[in-house]
């Protein structure tokens, strides 16, 4: 996934998703289950298991469908 600043809008980003995100079997199953629940819910897994990758895949799918996504984090440290 590539994030590009839209030259016409300094407050918006243009997102390009040239490739699909590769997921482990459990991650694909979690994403499929999330879709079956109306794209609502949470993924629980141990630290380092790949929850963020599942989230990025969900965002990539949404963007491919013409939808928008917002990522909210509790601190600026997590933005970096």
């Amino acid at each position: 996934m590539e994030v590009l600043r839209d030259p016409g809008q300094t407050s918006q980003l243009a997102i390009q998703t040239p490739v699909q995100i590769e997921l482990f079997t459990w991650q694909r199953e979690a994403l499929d289950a999330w879709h079956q629940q109306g794209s609502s819910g949470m993924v629980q897994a141990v630290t380092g298991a790949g929850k963020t990758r599942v989230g990025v895949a969900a965002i990539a799918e949404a963007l491919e469908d013409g939808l928008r996504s917002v990522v909210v984090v509790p601190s600026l440290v997590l933005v970096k």
Side-chain angles (χ1 to χ4, degrees), residues 9-78:
Q9 301 287 331
T10 57
S11 63
Q12 294 187 2
L13 296 175
I15 309 291
Q16 296 178 348
T17 55
V19 295
Q20 275 192 313
I21 307 296
E22 290 187 30
L23 299 175
F24 290 112
T25 301
W26 80 265
Q27 292 169 316
R28 174 50 51 198
E29 291 170 353
L31 187 56
D32 291 344
W34 181 74
H35 283 303
Q36 290 172 4
Q37 296 298 317
S39 300
S40 178
M42 69 176 80
V43 174
Q44 292 181 311
V46 299
T47 301
K51 297 177 297 288
T52 300
R53 197 163 185 82
V54 175
V56 169
I59 290 170
E61 288 179 6
L63 294 173
E64 287 172 1
D65 291 343
L67 301 172
R68 295 181 182 186
S69 296
V70 175
V71 177
V72 179
V73 296
S75 70
L76 290 175
V77 174
L78 296 175

